[in-house]
Amino acid sequence: MNYTLITFVVLYLVGTLAIGVWAGTRIKNTSDFAIAGRSLPLIMVVTTTFATWFGAETVMGIPAKFVQGGLNAIVEDPFGAGTCLILVGMFFATRLYRMNLLTIGDFYRQRFGKGIEVFCSLAIMLSYLGWVAAQITALGLVFTVLTNGGMSEQTGMIVGTLAVLIYVVIGGFLAVAWTDFIQMIVLVIGLSIIAFFSADLAGGSGKVLALASKHDLWNFLPPPTFTEIAMFVGAGLTMMLGSIPQQDVFQRVMSAKDEKTARNGAVIGGASYILFAFVPMFIVASAVVIMGSDALDLAKNDYQRLLPTFIMTKMPLVMQILFFGALLSAIKSTSSATLLAPTTSFVENILKNLRPGMSDRQQLFAMRATLVVFACLVLLYAIKMNGTPIYDLVSSAYQVTLVGAFVPLVMGLYWKRATTQGAIVSLAAGIGVWIVFFPAIGGEALSKMFPGQLAGLIAAFAGMIFGSLLPQVLQNRHEAVRHVEGLDA
């Protein structure tokens, strides 16, 4: 067991807790706690939106998928995830910022009423289970690797959850923003240095790039068949569109000091994420050059351990400290905001409907209490799902918001004729069709023929258009009939 490495990790965790305590002294109301009082400058909006996606799967999941299947295997993340932030900046940030909302659920209430607000908020909250569980699973794995098996993964999950929970409960999103800012600096510097060192161990970056070319890892497009193209598009759209109606994305964009900062921060953050995600991919490709078949076996059988194993067995202590500092930065930055996001949605869009008239102080207490409860639920879910690949936990998390919450958001913003009836039909059609494609319901053949989330998205758009226009058409027809009858009389 490397006590020097563990000491540095403990000091790093204590440092983030100190930031949370400091931020807590500046929390005066729910706006401060939920969206940092809409006060963040561009550089902090960029780092916190970049940190939205740069989590456990970016460091440990995406690179292993890349060396197994090339760029085609990772269309969902980072390409879909990064493009999501770019789309948010280009088409959603300015309009939503002007509405001065606390949560994304507030939009659904203003546009379609309380029923849609509650239902979409529940769908959004549900989607966070897999996302946060992936981060907690990774924290458990990190502590197990650090202690050379001395700490079990379940114990590591508990310790990691507490390390994140404490500073978020105290400091809210203000603590998240400041720790994101510091952690992303650590992450970028740490992984960049490790990438250069890995290339040197591999005999130069040319050998690493040659390996990628030899194994056709640069291939992005799928085989030209209907099913393969449909699966490719469905995978890409899952995080590209399904992540847009997410409270953590909304919080980070809406925390900007003005609408221009909100727009530019999201676009720069998304582009930065896509580009920098290639750094851990390069490091893992270097590991394959250095470790040979051992690395490929790990990538195939236990890919989450590939990068930590490479660092621990092939690199000196300084690189190990940099790596685990960067890895913990990635995980903590993502898990902190994704714990806070569903908590804010629950209090603002569900609890306030059950208990109207709550004071701001009561709402702030409720947010902190709910945060603890949600963290415990996610921890139990992560322990139960232990063994499920991190990448799979993340990629499956956003299908429910893609087929449920996305269409009412985009159509509500950009189509004036969208109605509450249309939103209801959209939700019912999208989720209903998506469920039909579950292997346990529609059968394995149907789920392998066409992606259920894409079928659900198409049904949701059709439902919105049909549900909004049909009542209007019937009403116009009824009025026309009454007019004719009036003339006859």
Side-chain angles (χ1 to χ4, degrees), residues 228-255:
E228 291 290 345
I229 293 174
M231 292 296 179
F232 178 82
V233 172
L237 292 181
T238 296
M239 290 190 72
M240 185 187 302
L241 304 183
S243 302
I244 290 177
Q246 286 291 345
Q247 177 61 20
D248 60 321
V249 176
F250 176 87
Q251 279 179 306
R252 286 171 153 153
V253 174
M254 294 305 112
S255 63

PDB file of all heavy atoms in Angstrom, residues 228-255:
ATOM      1  N   GLU A 228     -27.848  -0.768 -38.631  1.00  0.00           N
ATOM      2  CA  GLU A 228     -26.622  -0.205 -38.068  1.00  0.00           C
ATOM      3  C   GLU A 228     -26.683   1.322 -38.026  1.00  0.00           C
ATOM      4  O   GLU A 228     -26.266   1.952 -37.052  1.00  0.00           O
ATOM      5  CB  GLU A 228     -25.413  -0.658 -38.888  1.00  0.00           C
ATOM      6  CG  GLU A 228     -25.089  -2.141 -38.774  1.00  0.00           C
ATOM      7  CD  GLU A 228     -24.543  -2.499 -37.404  1.00  0.00           C
ATOM      8  OE1 GLU A 228     -24.152  -1.591 -36.659  1.00  0.00           O
ATOM      9  OE2 GLU A 228     -24.521  -3.701 -37.076  1.00  0.00           O
ATOM     10  N   ILE A 229     -27.219   1.920 -39.087  1.00  0.00           N
ATOM     11  CA  ILE A 229     -27.341   3.380 -39.120  1.00  0.00           C
ATOM     12  C   ILE A 229     -28.324   3.857 -38.064  1.00  0.00           C
ATOM     13  O   ILE A 229     -28.083   4.838 -37.352  1.00  0.00           O
ATOM     14  CB  ILE A 229     -27.772   3.854 -40.527  1.00  0.00           C
ATOM     15  CG1 ILE A 229     -26.649   3.590 -41.542  1.00  0.00           C
ATOM     16  CG2 ILE A 229     -28.127   5.340 -40.503  1.00  0.00           C
ATOM     17  CD1 ILE A 229     -27.041   3.880 -42.964  1.00  0.00           C
ATOM     18  N   ALA A 230     -29.452   3.136 -37.926  1.00  0.00           N
ATOM     19  CA  ALA A 230     -30.458   3.507 -36.922  1.00  0.00           C
ATOM     20  C   ALA A 230     -29.881   3.402 -35.510  1.00  0.00           C
ATOM     21  O   ALA A 230     -30.101   4.288 -34.669  1.00  0.00           O
ATOM     22  CB  ALA A 230     -31.686   2.608 -37.060  1.00  0.00           C
ATOM     23  N   MET A 231     -29.131   2.343 -35.239  1.00  0.00           N
ATOM     24  CA  MET A 231     -28.523   2.182 -33.918  1.00  0.00           C
ATOM     25  C   MET A 231     -27.498   3.277 -33.654  1.00  0.00           C
ATOM     26  O   MET A 231     -27.385   3.798 -32.538  1.00  0.00           O
ATOM     27  CB  MET A 231     -27.861   0.798 -33.818  1.00  0.00           C
ATOM     28  CG  MET A 231     -28.837  -0.357 -33.817  1.00  0.00           C
ATOM     29  SD  MET A 231     -29.928  -0.320 -32.354  1.00  0.00           S
ATOM     30  CE  MET A 231     -30.958  -1.765 -32.668  1.00  0.00           C
ATOM     31  N   PHE A 232     -26.741   3.637 -34.670  1.00  0.00           N
ATOM     32  CA  PHE A 232     -25.734   4.688 -34.563  1.00  0.00           C
ATOM     33  C   PHE A 232     -26.392   6.030 -34.245  1.00  0.00           C
ATOM     34  O   PHE A 232     -25.977   6.752 -33.336  1.00  0.00           O
ATOM     35  CB  PHE A 232     -24.953   4.766 -35.880  1.00  0.00           C
ATOM     36  CG  PHE A 232     -23.905   5.841 -35.922  1.00  0.00           C
ATOM     37  CD1 PHE A 232     -22.653   5.635 -35.366  1.00  0.00           C
ATOM     38  CD2 PHE A 232     -24.159   7.050 -36.553  1.00  0.00           C
ATOM     39  CE1 PHE A 232     -21.676   6.620 -35.416  1.00  0.00           C
ATOM     40  CE2 PHE A 232     -23.202   8.047 -36.612  1.00  0.00           C
ATOM     41  CZ  PHE A 232     -21.947   7.826 -36.041  1.00  0.00           C
ATOM     42  N   VAL A 233     -27.453   6.360 -34.982  1.00  0.00           N
ATOM     43  CA  VAL A 233     -28.174   7.623 -34.773  1.00  0.00           C
ATOM     44  C   VAL A 233     -28.833   7.634 -33.393  1.00  0.00           C
ATOM     45  O   VAL A 233     -28.779   8.632 -32.661  1.00  0.00           O
ATOM     46  CB  VAL A 233     -29.223   7.842 -35.879  1.00  0.00           C
ATOM     47  CG1 VAL A 233     -30.107   9.045 -35.551  1.00  0.00           C
ATOM     48  CG2 VAL A 233     -28.546   8.031 -37.228  1.00  0.00           C
ATOM     49  N   GLY A 234     -29.454   6.512 -33.023  1.00  0.00           N
ATOM     50  CA  GLY A 234     -30.095   6.427 -31.717  1.00  0.00           C
ATOM     51  C   GLY A 234     -29.114   6.626 -30.580  1.00  0.00           C
ATOM     52  O   GLY A 234     -29.403   7.328 -29.603  1.00  0.00           O
ATOM     53  N   ALA A 235     -27.925   6.019 -30.704  1.00  0.00           N
ATOM     54  CA  ALA A 235     -26.904   6.171 -29.670  1.00  0.00           C
ATOM     55  C   ALA A 235     -26.429   7.616 -29.579  1.00  0.00           C
ATOM     56  O   ALA A 235     -26.289   8.172 -28.481  1.00  0.00           O
ATOM     57  CB  ALA A 235     -25.725   5.242 -29.950  1.00  0.00           C
ATOM     58  N   GLY A 236     -26.193   8.242 -30.720  1.00  0.00           N
ATOM     59  CA  GLY A 236     -25.723   9.618 -30.729  1.00  0.00           C
ATOM     60  C   GLY A 236     -26.733  10.594 -30.148  1.00  0.00           C
ATOM     61  O   GLY A 236     -26.381  11.512 -29.398  1.00  0.00           O
ATOM     62  N   LEU A 237     -28.015  10.380 -30.460  1.00  0.00           N
ATOM     63  CA  LEU A 237     -29.050  11.299 -30.003  1.00  0.00           C
ATOM     64  C   LEU A 237     -29.377  11.139 -28.521  1.00  0.00           C
ATOM     65  O   LEU A 237     -29.923  12.057 -27.901  1.00  0.00           O
ATOM     66  CB  LEU A 237     -30.328  11.114 -30.825  1.00  0.00           C
ATOM     67  CG  LEU A 237     -30.266  11.525 -32.298  1.00  0.00           C
ATOM     68  CD1 LEU A 237     -31.623  11.310 -32.962  1.00  0.00           C
ATOM     69  CD2 LEU A 237     -29.836  12.975 -32.446  1.00  0.00           C
ATOM     70  N   THR A 238     -29.054   9.978 -27.946  1.00  0.00           N
ATOM     71  CA  THR A 238     -29.433   9.727 -26.560  1.00  0.00           C
ATOM     72  C   THR A 238     -28.890  10.800 -25.625  1.00  0.00           C
ATOM     73  O   THR A 238     -29.626  11.402 -24.844  1.00  0.00           O
ATOM     74  CB  THR A 238     -28.942   8.339 -26.114  1.00  0.00           C
ATOM     75  OG1 THR A 238     -29.608   7.341 -26.890  1.00  0.00           O
ATOM     76  CG2 THR A 238     -29.247   8.102 -24.647  1.00  0.00           C
ATOM     77  N   MET A 239     -27.583  11.065 -25.700  1.00  0.00           N
ATOM     78  CA  MET A 239     -27.020  12.101 -24.844  1.00  0.00           C
ATOM     79  C   MET A 239     -27.041  13.470 -25.511  1.00  0.00           C
ATOM     80  O   MET A 239     -27.100  14.485 -24.829  1.00  0.00           O
ATOM     81  CB  MET A 239     -25.598  11.734 -24.433  1.00  0.00           C
ATOM     82  CG  MET A 239     -25.536  10.566 -23.459  1.00  0.00           C
ATOM     83  SD  MET A 239     -23.911  10.287 -22.725  1.00  0.00           S
ATOM     84  CE  MET A 239     -23.796  11.691 -21.614  1.00  0.00           C
ATOM     85  N   MET A 240     -27.014  13.505 -26.836  1.00  0.00           N
ATOM     86  CA  MET A 240     -27.021  14.788 -27.538  1.00  0.00           C
ATOM     87  C   MET A 240     -28.303  15.561 -27.264  1.00  0.00           C
ATOM     88  O   MET A 240     -28.278  16.766 -26.996  1.00  0.00           O
ATOM     89  CB  MET A 240     -26.862  14.559 -29.047  1.00  0.00           C
ATOM     90  CG  MET A 240     -26.737  15.835 -29.853  1.00  0.00           C
ATOM     91  SD  MET A 240     -26.749  15.513 -31.638  1.00  0.00           S
ATOM     92  CE  MET A 240     -25.360  14.411 -31.825  1.00  0.00           C
ATOM     93  N   LEU A 241     -29.448  14.880 -27.316  1.00  0.00           N
ATOM     94  CA  LEU A 241     -30.731  15.541 -27.088  1.00  0.00           C
ATOM     95  C   LEU A 241     -31.326  15.203 -25.723  1.00  0.00           C
ATOM     96  O   LEU A 241     -31.952  16.045 -25.092  1.00  0.00           O
ATOM     97  CB  LEU A 241     -31.725  15.158 -28.187  1.00  0.00           C
ATOM     98  CG  LEU A 241     -31.292  15.435 -29.637  1.00  0.00           C
ATOM     99  CD1 LEU A 241     -32.418  15.070 -30.599  1.00  0.00           C
ATOM    100  CD2 LEU A 241     -30.893  16.898 -29.813  1.00  0.00           C
ATOM    101  N   GLY A 242     -31.110  13.966 -25.275  1.00  0.00           N
ATOM    102  CA  GLY A 242     -31.683  13.551 -23.998  1.00  0.00           C
ATOM    103  C   GLY A 242     -31.094  14.276 -22.810  1.00  0.00           C
ATOM    104  O   GLY A 242     -31.712  14.346 -21.742  1.00  0.00           O
ATOM    105  N   SER A 243     -29.882  14.825 -22.978  1.00  0.00           N
ATOM    106  CA  SER A 243     -29.245  15.547 -21.874  1.00  0.00           C
ATOM    107  C   SER A 243     -29.612  17.024 -21.837  1.00  0.00           C
ATOM    108  O   SER A 243     -29.283  17.713 -20.871  1.00  0.00           O
ATOM    109  CB  SER A 243     -27.717  15.424 -21.989  1.00  0.00           C
ATOM    110  OG  SER A 243     -27.332  14.076 -21.977  1.00  0.00           O
ATOM    111  N   ILE A 244     -30.269  17.519 -22.882  1.00  0.00           N
ATOM    112  CA  ILE A 244     -30.613  18.946 -22.908  1.00  0.00           C
ATOM    113  C   ILE A 244     -31.611  19.310 -21.807  1.00  0.00           C
ATOM    114  O   ILE A 244     -31.400  20.301 -21.096  1.00  0.00           O
ATOM    115  CB  ILE A 244     -31.140  19.343 -24.309  1.00  0.00           C
ATOM    116  CG1 ILE A 244     -29.979  19.316 -25.318  1.00  0.00           C
ATOM    117  CG2 ILE A 244     -31.788  20.731 -24.276  1.00  0.00           C
ATOM    118  CD1 ILE A 244     -30.389  19.613 -26.753  1.00  0.00           C
ATOM    119  N   PRO A 245     -32.694  18.542 -21.593  1.00  0.00           N
ATOM    120  CA  PRO A 245     -33.606  18.903 -20.504  1.00  0.00           C
ATOM    121  C   PRO A 245     -33.150  18.338 -19.163  1.00  0.00           C
ATOM    122  O   PRO A 245     -33.901  17.644 -18.474  1.00  0.00           O
ATOM    123  CB  PRO A 245     -34.925  18.272 -20.963  1.00  0.00           C
ATOM    124  CG  PRO A 245     -34.509  17.063 -21.715  1.00  0.00           C
ATOM    125  CD  PRO A 245     -33.215  17.418 -22.389  1.00  0.00           C
ATOM    126  N   GLN A 246     -31.906  18.612 -18.785  1.00  0.00           N
ATOM    127  CA  GLN A 246     -31.355  18.102 -17.533  1.00  0.00           C
ATOM    128  C   GLN A 246     -31.078  19.255 -16.583  1.00  0.00           C
ATOM    129  O   GLN A 246     -30.559  20.298 -16.991  1.00  0.00           O
ATOM    130  CB  GLN A 246     -30.064  17.324 -17.792  1.00  0.00           C
ATOM    131  CG  GLN A 246     -30.280  15.958 -18.428  1.00  0.00           C
ATOM    132  CD  GLN A 246     -30.940  14.975 -17.476  1.00  0.00           C
ATOM    133  OE1 GLN A 246     -31.001  15.192 -16.272  1.00  0.00           O
ATOM    134  NE2 GLN A 246     -31.462  13.891 -18.016  1.00  0.00           N
ATOM    135  N   GLN A 247     -31.379  19.043 -15.313  1.00  0.00           N
ATOM    136  CA  GLN A 247     -31.232  20.111 -14.336  1.00  0.00           C
ATOM    137  C   GLN A 247     -29.781  20.501 -14.111  1.00  0.00           C
ATOM    138  O   GLN A 247     -29.469  21.677 -13.897  1.00  0.00           O
ATOM    139  CB  GLN A 247     -31.875  19.696 -13.013  1.00  0.00           C
ATOM    140  CG  GLN A 247     -31.735  20.696 -11.889  1.00  0.00           C
ATOM    141  CD  GLN A 247     -32.383  22.047 -12.189  1.00  0.00           C
ATOM    142  OE1 GLN A 247     -33.242  22.156 -13.059  1.00  0.00           O
ATOM    143  NE2 GLN A 247     -31.966  23.073 -11.466  1.00  0.00           N
ATOM    144  N   ASP A 248     -28.837  19.548 -14.182  1.00  0.00           N
ATOM    145  CA  ASP A 248     -27.437  19.917 -13.947  1.00  0.00           C
ATOM    146  C   ASP A 248     -26.904  20.787 -15.078  1.00  0.00           C
ATOM    147  O   ASP A 248     -26.166  21.751 -14.846  1.00  0.00           O
ATOM    148  CB  ASP A 248     -26.558  18.678 -13.750  1.00  0.00           C
ATOM    149  CG  ASP A 248     -26.553  17.745 -14.940  1.00  0.00           C
ATOM    150  OD1 ASP A 248     -27.616  17.562 -15.549  1.00  0.00           O
ATOM    151  OD2 ASP A 248     -25.491  17.185 -15.260  1.00  0.00           O
ATOM    152  N   VAL A 249     -27.291  20.488 -16.324  1.00  0.00           N
ATOM    153  CA  VAL A 249     -26.917  21.341 -17.458  1.00  0.00           C
ATOM    154  C   VAL A 249     -27.550  22.715 -17.297  1.00  0.00           C
ATOM    155  O   VAL A 249     -26.901  23.754 -17.469  1.00  0.00           O
ATOM    156  CB  VAL A 249     -27.347  20.696 -18.793  1.00  0.00           C
ATOM    157  CG1 VAL A 249     -27.055  21.632 -19.961  1.00  0.00           C
ATOM    158  CG2 VAL A 249     -26.628  19.363 -19.001  1.00  0.00           C
ATOM    159  N   PHE A 250     -28.847  22.723 -16.948  1.00  0.00           N
ATOM    160  CA  PHE A 250     -29.568  23.980 -16.758  1.00  0.00           C
ATOM    161  C   PHE A 250     -28.917  24.820 -15.657  1.00  0.00           C
ATOM    162  O   PHE A 250     -28.699  26.025 -15.828  1.00  0.00           O
ATOM    163  CB  PHE A 250     -31.027  23.671 -16.398  1.00  0.00           C
ATOM    164  CG  PHE A 250     -31.853  24.881 -16.090  1.00  0.00           C
ATOM    165  CD1 PHE A 250     -32.495  25.583 -17.096  1.00  0.00           C
ATOM    166  CD2 PHE A 250     -32.004  25.337 -14.784  1.00  0.00           C
ATOM    167  CE1 PHE A 250     -33.259  26.707 -16.818  1.00  0.00           C
ATOM    168  CE2 PHE A 250     -32.763  26.450 -14.487  1.00  0.00           C
ATOM    169  CZ  PHE A 250     -33.387  27.135 -15.513  1.00  0.00           C
ATOM    170  N   GLN A 251     -28.593  24.197 -14.516  1.00  0.00           N
ATOM    171  CA  GLN A 251     -27.993  24.929 -13.401  1.00  0.00           C
ATOM    172  C   GLN A 251     -26.687  25.591 -13.810  1.00  0.00           C
ATOM    173  O   GLN A 251     -26.425  26.749 -13.478  1.00  0.00           O
ATOM    174  CB  GLN A 251     -27.733  23.979 -12.226  1.00  0.00           C
ATOM    175  CG  GLN A 251     -28.954  23.697 -11.383  1.00  0.00           C
ATOM    176  CD  GLN A 251     -28.640  22.729 -10.259  1.00  0.00           C
ATOM    177  OE1 GLN A 251     -28.117  21.651 -10.483  1.00  0.00           O
ATOM    178  NE2 GLN A 251     -28.987  23.102  -9.053  1.00  0.00           N
ATOM    179  N   ARG A 252     -25.866  24.855 -14.525  1.00  0.00           N
ATOM    180  CA  ARG A 252     -24.547  25.369 -14.857  1.00  0.00           C
ATOM    181  C   ARG A 252     -24.626  26.513 -15.867  1.00  0.00           C
ATOM    182  O   ARG A 252     -23.862  27.469 -15.797  1.00  0.00           O
ATOM    183  CB  ARG A 252     -23.679  24.223 -15.363  1.00  0.00           C
ATOM    184  CG  ARG A 252     -23.272  23.330 -14.207  1.00  0.00           C
ATOM    185  CD  ARG A 252     -22.596  22.074 -14.628  1.00  0.00           C
ATOM    186  NE  ARG A 252     -21.708  21.631 -13.546  1.00  0.00           N
ATOM    187  CZ  ARG A 252     -21.361  20.388 -13.322  1.00  0.00           C
ATOM    188  NH1 ARG A 252     -21.830  19.448 -14.100  1.00  0.00           N
ATOM    189  NH2 ARG A 252     -20.547  20.084 -12.346  1.00  0.00           N
ATOM    190  N   VAL A 253     -25.556  26.428 -16.789  1.00  0.00           N
ATOM    191  CA  VAL A 253     -25.719  27.502 -17.767  1.00  0.00           C
ATOM    192  C   VAL A 253     -26.394  28.713 -17.131  1.00  0.00           C
ATOM    193  O   VAL A 253     -25.997  29.861 -17.349  1.00  0.00           O
ATOM    194  CB  VAL A 253     -26.514  27.003 -18.989  1.00  0.00           C
ATOM    195  CG1 VAL A 253     -26.824  28.157 -19.940  1.00  0.00           C
ATOM    196  CG2 VAL A 253     -25.731  25.920 -19.734  1.00  0.00           C
ATOM    197  N   MET A 254     -27.416  28.469 -16.296  1.00  0.00           N
ATOM    198  CA  MET A 254     -28.165  29.567 -15.690  1.00  0.00           C
ATOM    199  C   MET A 254     -27.412  30.263 -14.558  1.00  0.00           C
ATOM    200  O   MET A 254     -27.837  31.306 -14.073  1.00  0.00           O
ATOM    201  CB  MET A 254     -29.511  29.059 -15.156  1.00  0.00           C
ATOM    202  CG  MET A 254     -30.464  28.580 -16.234  1.00  0.00           C
ATOM    203  SD  MET A 254     -30.804  29.813 -17.524  1.00  0.00           S
ATOM    204  CE  MET A 254     -29.987  29.055 -18.932  1.00  0.00           C
ATOM    205  N   SER A 255     -26.287  29.695 -14.117  1.00  0.00           N
ATOM    206  CA  SER A 255     -25.506  30.336 -13.061  1.00  0.00           C
ATOM    207  C   SER A 255     -24.648  31.483 -13.595  1.00  0.00           C
ATOM    208  O   SER A 255     -24.003  32.188 -12.824  1.00  0.00           O
ATOM    209  CB  SER A 255     -24.599  29.305 -12.380  1.00  0.00           C
ATOM    210  OG  SER A 255     -23.649  28.780 -13.305  1.00  0.00           O
TER     211      SER A 255
END
